[in-house]
Amino acid sequence: SYYGDGDSAMDDTSYDRLRIAVLAWEEAHPAEVSPDSPTGLVADGVAPTGDIAHTTRLLSLDNVFDAAGLVAWGASVERRLGRAPAGGFTVEPKIDGAAVAARYRDGRLVQVVTRGDGRHGEDVSHVIGQIDGLPEQLSDAVTVEVRGEVAFTQEQFETANEVRAAHGAPVFVNPRNGTAGTLRAKGRPYRLRMTFWAYGVVELDGVPFLPAGATHAEALAAAAAVGVQTTAASPAGLLVVPDLAAAQAQADAVAAMRTELPVGIDGLVVKLNDTAEQEAAGLGSRFPYWAIAVKLPAIERQTILEDVVWEVGRTGVLAPTALLTAVEIDGSTVTRATLHNPADIRRRDLHIGDTVTVYKAGDIIPRVQAAVVPLRPAGAVPVPLPDACPRCGGEISTAQERWRCAKGTACALPALIEYAAGREMLDIDGLGRTYVAALVESGDVRDVADLFTLTVEQLTAASGSAKRGAKLAEQIAAAKERPLNRVFCALGVLGTGRSMSRRIARHFGTMDAIRQADATEMQDVEGIGPEKAPVV
Ligand SMILES: [Zn+2]
């Protein structure tokens, strides 16, 4: 279905695992392999096959998943060549989009063809004019076919989803699925911009384009010289390296900056740079032997949106969090993900029970991208939005995109004061929930520190009795004498828990010294770095 309307029912990791399992089974049971098994076909035989014959086969790439896999590929290349390659390797990003062949005749872009089954593809020339990097007219009247990847950049993807939402069309699940769908969709009432990066050049109609013996890097440079964007112009660039150790180092470097790239990549492609060596290494039925994709770990997977919980922050902002069926992404187990605000939840049309795509990479907090609508269970309801503050039960202000408790910081205050007055902290005997609520309600207490300046009159008003007011005033006076670490901890300073409060108290000795400390002095405390110090 990914190759159909662009929405896949399975994420890449699940697909790859199933595929590897099928391959292993076929290898163990060669006699039982179905004659129409798709494992020997380009794109596993599921891509729609058009009727446009490719100039030469447009193959996909074999994958490796780690450094050992790349070394093993290097050994296989040496076996095929009968020696180590002499012309070096290129390393370029594997843009996460859809492969196309674009044909230029006399400098004019005349046809764009999808990969299809590698021998025949679909004519998608209707996209001519809406792809950056694939100009309708080249600077020279050359005849040539360029091959590469079409994708939405992150920015184009966001614009595309805004346009689709405005037309009442479902938003794309991710940039790649959006690309596949957009290439195939003819006659949409709107046009969406995409971007092209060439990774190959093929002679068309027998017209020479490249000088004899041009390397892969030189071929891309020739395409760039007439106006086609190539992977060399991508943010990850194209690097020529002498050996696979250097190729692996480049792959690691690009992987590290992956989340900052303006377009999604799902790996790096390593190729023999010398075209004579490419020919000597040869082609398999699905893959060329002279190139390999080093896949990066998945940073997007599908799982089930089980529920949405709402937490109220210190300032009263309501933050929705998605509770997910546990899923492994980029080396960690994800069970919760950020949802931004109610408008965003509605824009993404999320329902409880939906299969959703979840994105996580490096230190980024996991986020829910979109629902896979075709997999929505019958009777699923849209994510319910709260009609009262989940903490205090009070009114919600919906004036801004991020909803807030109408009480703002006062919403969290009673809980903070109760915590501070508790036995482990200030131990203010008699200052229970009711009196705290009254003090917050009257405005006499706006933060924990206000407790220490309360008058007997204010405490009398809050407790409704002069006797109780006097008793509370006594208790509060005694609370000032509690150990410094407990008093400091009770203040609820952002980023300081109990053990940090102990270290701060030990380091400075008095409340006055703590108050006078600037960010530089604060860094002398163990565990407080340059980021935390100014906050404290
Ligand atoms: Zn509230």
Side-chain angles (χ1 to χ4, degrees):
S1 87
Y2 160 64
Y3 288 102
D5 56 15
D7 277 336
S8 45
M10 196 181 282
D11 58 53
D12 290 355
T13 304
S14 309
Y15 183 88
D16 283 343
R17 280 185 190 156
L18 268 180
R19 216 186 126 256
I20 287 165
V22 170
L23 285 172
W25 185 88
E26 289 186 345
E27 210 172 299
H29 307 84
E32 293 170 61
V33 173
S34 164
D36 57 358
S37 166
T39 53
L41 303 173
V42 168
D44 296 332
V46 295
T49 304
D51 48 9
I52 309 296
H54 279 300
T55 318
T56 61
R57 278 188 296 156
L58 178 46
L59 299 173
S60 39
L61 291 172
D62 201 3
N63 298 316
V64 295
F65 297 90
D66 52 26
L70 184 60
V71 169
W73 172 76
S76 79
V77 168
E78 282 194 26
R79 266 197 314 278
R80 290 178 196 284
L81 296 182
R83 58 172 172 80
F89 301 88
T90 56
V91 188
E92 58 199 297
K94 188 167 184 293
I95 309 276
D96 199 4
V100 297
R103 294 172 180 174
Y104 284 93
R105 290 198 170 90
D106 300 322
R108 254 204 107 59
L109 179 56
V110 292
Q111 195 169 39
V112 179
V113 184
T114 63
R115 184 195 333 258
D117 67 359
R119 293 181 186 277
H120 293 86
E122 284 185 294
D123 188 320
V124 292
S125 301
H126 65 96
V127 296
I128 289 175
Q130 68 187 85
I131 302 180
D132 294 341
L134 201 58
E136 290 177 77
Q137 184 72 51
L138 296 179
S139 60
D140 282 348
V142 292
T143 294
V144 67
E145 177 175 312
V146 289
R147 292 171 167 190
E149 205 78 0
V150 173
F152 283 110
T153 63
Q154 200 56 43
E155 197 184 336
Q156 288 172 331
F157 176 66
E158 272 151 36
T159 307
N161 270 344
E162 279 167 26
V163 170
R164 281 177 64 85
H167 280 83
V171 296
F172 292 130
V173 168
N174 60 32
R176 187 182 45 154
N177 292 10
T179 306
T182 301
L183 283 176
R184 304 203 66 216
K186 289 174 187 158
R188 275 184 186 157
Y190 49 87
R191 278 161 84 78
L192 304 175
R193 289 214 74 77
M194 298 178 287
T195 303
F196 176 82
W197 292 268
Y199 55 63
V201 177
V202 174
E203 202 172 87
L204 186 63
D205 306 340
V207 181
F209 174 73
L210 295 171
T215 64
H216 173 58
E218 287 163 354
L220 292 192
V226 292
V228 173
Q229 177 164 269
T230 73
T231 53
S234 73
L238 174 129
L239 200 68
V240 181
V241 296
D243 53 41
L244 288 181
Q248 182 64 48
Q250 168 69 355
D252 293 342
V254 173
M257 63 185 208
R258 176 188 194 187
T259 55
E260 286 136 48
L261 299 178
V263 62
I265 65 170
D266 61 345
L268 279 299
V269 180
V270 180
K271 294 173 181 169
L272 293 178
N273 191 29
D274 184 299
T275 32
E277 288 184 338
Q278 287 185 0
E279 274 166 38
L283 305 174
S285 62
R286 300 177 69 207
F287 315 118
Y289 294 126
W290 46 265
I292 191 78
V294 182
K295 293 274 267 199
L296 296 175
I299 49 177
E300 186 182 279
R301 292 207 59 191
Q302 293 181 1
T303 186
I304 306 293
L305 174 63
E306 295 181 351
D307 203 358
V308 173
V309 291
W310 298 79
E311 276 141 18
V312 188
R314 280 168 77 100
T315 57
V317 170
L318 269 61
T321 299
L323 303 186
L324 307 165
T325 304
V327 62
E328 171 112 352
I329 311 177
D330 197 19
S332 59
T333 303
V334 175
T335 56
R336 297 164 73 90
T338 309
L339 295 165
H340 300 279
N341 54 58
D344 192 62
I345 290 172
R346 285 293 176 259
R347 206 156 37 226
R348 290 167 201 269
D349 188 33
L350 299 176
H351 287 48
I352 302 294
D354 266 345
T355 296
V356 291
T357 51
V358 180
Y359 177 89
K360 179 196 175 293
D363 296 334
I364 289 178
I365 297 168
R367 62 169 187 258
V368 170
Q369 301 274 75
V372 184
V373 178
L375 297 182
R376 178 168 293 159
V381 294
V383 170
L385 304 179
D387 46 19
C389 171
R391 183 162 52 203
C392 70
E395 206 177 307
I396 295 175
S397 159
T398 59
Q400 290 168 293
E401 273 218 324
R402 305 179 74 190
W403 290 7
R404 289 159 191 277
C405 172
K407 290 182 190 155
T409 47
C411 173
L413 199 52
L416 282 177
I417 304 284
E418 281 173 46
Y419 173 73
R423 189 163 312 158
E424 314 241 301
M425 298 283 159
L426 298 176
D427 195 13
I428 306 175
D429 196 26
L431 189 62
R433 181 160 297 177
T434 322
Y435 302 160
V436 168
L439 287 166
V440 169
E441 188 74 16
S442 68
D444 287 342
V445 171
R446 291 199 169 83
D447 63 35
V448 176
D450 283 346
L451 285 178
F452 295 116
T453 53
L454 285 173
T455 62
V456 178
E457 290 71 34
Q458 287 171 316
L459 289 163
T460 298
S463 64
S465 131
K467 198 174 144 199
R468 279 197 291 266
K471 177 93 195 310
L472 281 169
E474 250 171 61
Q475 286 286 328
I476 287 171
K480 290 180 190 170
E481 306 307 319
R482 306 272 180 250
L484 180 59
N485 65 308
R486 282 167 59 183
V487 177
F488 182 78
C489 189
L491 295 176
V493 176
L494 205 62
T496 63
R498 268 182 224 199
S499 52
M500 180 62 76
S501 296
R502 263 198 296 277
R503 287 202 291 272
I504 290 173
R506 204 160 46 223
H507 183 84
F508 291 102
T510 67
M511 187 61 89
D512 282 340
I514 297 175
R515 292 178 60 160
Q516 276 159 20
D518 62 15
T520 316
E521 290 167 284
M522 203 49 86
Q523 282 187 58
D524 292 339
V525 179
E526 183 203 336
I528 298 187
E531 274 172 38
K532 200 169 200 172
V535 179
V536 174

